[in-house]
Amino acid sequence: MRAGSRLADEVAVPPGRRAWTVGVMCTAVGLVIAMVTIVNAALPALASGTGATQAEQTWIVDVYTLVLAALVLPAGAVGDRRGRRGVLVAGLLVFAAGCAAPVFLATPFWLVAARAVTGLGAAMIMPATLSIINASFPPERRGRAIGIWAAVAGVGGLGGLVLAGVLLRHFSWHSVFLGPAALSVVLVAASLTVPTSRDGHPRRFDLPGAVLGAAAIGAVVFGILRVADLGWGHGLVLGSIAGGLVLAALFVVHELRTEAPLLDVRLFGDAAFATGSVSVTVQFTAAFGMFYALAQYLQLVRGYSALDSGLALWPVAVSLFPLSLASAPLVRRFGLRVVTCAGLAVVVAGMVLIGALDADSGYPELAVAVCVLGAGIGVTAPAATSAILDNVPPSQYGVASAVNDATREIGAALGIALVGSVLSAAYTDSVGTATAALPPAAREAAEGSLAGALAVASTAGPAGGSVAVAARDAFTRGMGISMLALAVFVTAGILAAAVLGRRRRVQPRG
């Protein structure tokens, strides 16, 4: 770190203002995460109101994640150079505009465009929130603040389900866009009161690195997002992921050669930074895969409403929030590698418990399962985020925060793709016997999804009851297999963290 840069990057903030800053930043990041599930919950009403095709619905949901993941790294770098609060405020204004647009331009094309704009705003917001918190606290007091931020980011998607359920119960689908737009405007005013920081000696912006990084992450995430529709073996999926990996390799080569890199890729040679990055990816793969499966399980198997489904999953916060606050002391006591591996092992246990649920399971079994999962994420999420941020100089807080955010988005997309593909294949294999006597069109619909099977069963007369029961049983078997697949993935993450945790520390540039 260059002499004098610490004064520009870490700011002296009174304790009362620190608490306010954490509250505002956590509200902003919670809104960004919630906007994923808010639109998911509103999709049936939105499609009915706009006539959006299935392909258009997919883009309305996915383009937000795609733009956010692709642009978060350049946005974090801009914040480091130009000022993090300024980028945050600009991001909130862009986010508000993107959320408000569907109220006035309610056609599928404009909905996709508006969601892309909202994703751009989200990419500007996410790294700024974490880097502002990090720069506002001395090192010995950051653990609790980062724990709160990580906990809010972890349950933000769940909050989106509840908010969407409340809004849709009383208002039209437009409300799920107008409500977040109004909150964004409020956050603009609140954000003007938080401290700002930036690199005291900013380097030139690495435009080639920004383009290569955005293209690499965008291509990989695009390929993963298409898995649910096309399958892992489709040419577009494989080509996108392979192309993204090639672009990532070019990005690494460029960053190693340039004098002012967007991201010092040598940081991934540091044990703590690499362990944190792997841990965040694995956590969000597990969390979003779980939410994807359980949202369908609660609504289609157990008959819950969208609002009740969101409320039913809140026990995850019972363990996640307190353990997020305990994460930093645990790392100081036992070390990052031990806490990461132990926490991810608890996540595996949660996956196994969720996979054991069936159509007749009681709510206490579900509550215990998500509580166990929340405990694992609560222990590991703040530890991983701190490991990423603590191993960079203050001048690179924005970029480090963006790495944390990009790994979250990649993990979320991967979790949904992994669970969706495994669940779909297992469901189709299991339900085939029960649908064999149905007419071809009805059989195709019933074998395509549980929702399709229940729709067919409602019009199939006396035979419909047996089809519905078989379809629900097939879904829960498929969910069990998909949770085991997630458990295997997380176990691989544990092994990776155990190996990476033995590596030596490297000194980053800057």
Side-chain angles (χ1 to χ4, degrees):
M1 183 178 65
R2 292 176 296 277
S5 65
R6 180 171 295 276
L7 293 178
D9 291 300
E10 294 181 338
V11 293
V13 182
R17 196 180 179 200
R18 286 180 195 152
W20 169 254
T21 298
V22 171
V24 174
M25 297 302 98
C26 286
T27 304
V29 76
L31 179 60
V32 167
I33 300 295
M35 205 59 201
V36 178
T37 50
I38 284 176
V39 174
N40 277 334
L43 204 56
L46 183 154
S48 176
T50 64
T53 65
Q54 187 61 52
E56 289 167 337
Q57 292 176 53
T58 299
W59 274 109
I60 289 169
V61 171
D62 288 347
V63 73
Y64 176 82
T65 298
L66 180 62
V67 174
L68 168 55
L71 298 183
V72 69
L73 190 60
V78 171
D80 285 339
R81 289 158 174 77
R82 300 297 182 185
R84 291 144 189 161
R85 184 177 64 190
V87 172
L88 171 66
V89 171
L92 285 166
L93 289 172
V94 172
F95 191 91
C99 288
V103 179
F104 307 100
L105 301 168
T107 66
F109 172 82
W110 286 112
L111 281 169
V112 173
R115 287 282 284 169
V117 171
T118 310
L120 169 61
M124 300 167 72
I125 294 167
M126 278 198 78
T129 60
L130 186 55
S131 55
I132 287 173
I133 288 176
N134 213 51
S136 300
F137 284 78
E140 67 274 10
R141 295 185 178 274
R142 285 180 191 149
R144 187 179 183 86
I146 290 176
I148 296 171
W149 184 95
V152 171
V155 300
L158 188 54
L161 289 176
V162 175
L163 178 60
V166 172
L167 291 173
L168 292 171
R169 177 167 289 188
H170 300 287
F171 306 103
S172 74
W173 64 266
H174 298 85
S175 63
V176 303
F177 294 100
L178 189 57
L183 180 56
S184 300
V185 173
V186 173
L187 284 170
V188 168
S191 296
L192 294 174
T193 67
V194 305
T196 190
S197 60
R198 65 181 179 88
D199 184 355
H201 301 277
R203 299 166 294 175
R204 62 178 175 80
F205 184 76
D206 178 18
L207 183 59
V211 172
L212 282 172
I217 295 175
V220 170
V221 172
F222 175 81
I224 294 172
L225 289 173
R226 298 276 67 79
V227 168
D229 299 326
L230 305 175
W232 287 100
H234 194 278
L236 180 61
V237 171
L238 295 176
S240 296
I241 294 176
L245 294 176
V246 170
L247 289 168
L250 294 174
F251 172 78
V252 170
V253 171
H254 170 77
E255 296 300 280
L256 289 172
R257 292 180 176 179
T258 187
E259 294 182 1
L262 184 79
L263 169 66
D264 184 359
V265 294
R266 295 189 310 154
L267 287 167
F268 289 98
D270 178 86
F273 192 94
T275 299
S277 300
V278 168
S279 179
V280 169
T281 304
V282 169
Q283 293 163 38
F284 267 65
T285 300
F288 272 75
M290 178 272 290
F291 283 137
Y292 175 82
L294 284 184
Q296 296 179 73
Y297 169 80
L298 289 169
Q299 293 184 53
L300 299 176
V301 176
R302 303 304 302 275
Y304 287 31
S305 68
L307 175 58
D308 290 341
S309 296
L311 293 173
L313 293 173
W314 267 103
V316 71
V318 172
S319 55
L320 192 152
F321 269 98
L323 286 172
S324 290
L325 300 180
S327 179
L330 288 172
V331 171
R332 288 194 295 269
R333 177 77 169 81
F334 300 105
L336 174 66
R337 186 162 67 100
V338 171
V339 170
T340 298
C341 292
L344 291 179
V346 176
V347 171
V348 170
M351 294 287 100
V352 172
L353 290 173
I354 292 169
L357 298 173
D358 59 32
D360 299 318
S361 297
Y363 180 71
E365 296 172 68
L366 171 68
V368 169
V370 296
C371 247
V372 171
L373 180 69
I377 294 176
V379 169
T380 52
T385 298
S386 294
I388 293 172
L389 288 169
D390 290 348
N391 287 278
V392 300
S395 61
Q396 296 179 32
Y397 282 164
V399 169
S401 300
V403 170
N404 178 71
D405 299 333
T407 54
R408 285 170 182 266
E409 296 306 315
I410 291 171
L414 183 58
I416 293 172
L418 178 61
V419 171
S421 58
V422 173
L423 176 54
S424 177
Y427 167 82
T428 300
D429 288 343
S430 297
V431 82
T433 302
T435 59
L438 294 173
R443 183 170 65 251
E444 182 179 358
E447 293 179 354
S449 68
L450 175 55
L454 295 178
V456 168
S458 67
T459 61
S466 61
V467 171
V469 170
R472 289 189 175 97
D473 288 340
F475 180 89
T476 56
R477 283 195 293 272
M479 186 174 77
I481 295 171
S482 68
M483 291 301 105
L484 289 178
L486 271 186
V488 171
F489 182 85
V490 177
T491 300
I494 294 173
L495 296 176
V499 172
L500 291 171
R502 296 181 180 275
R503 299 172 70 176
R504 292 183 298 175
R505 179 182 177 86
V506 300
Q507 183 63 40
R509 285 185 277 181

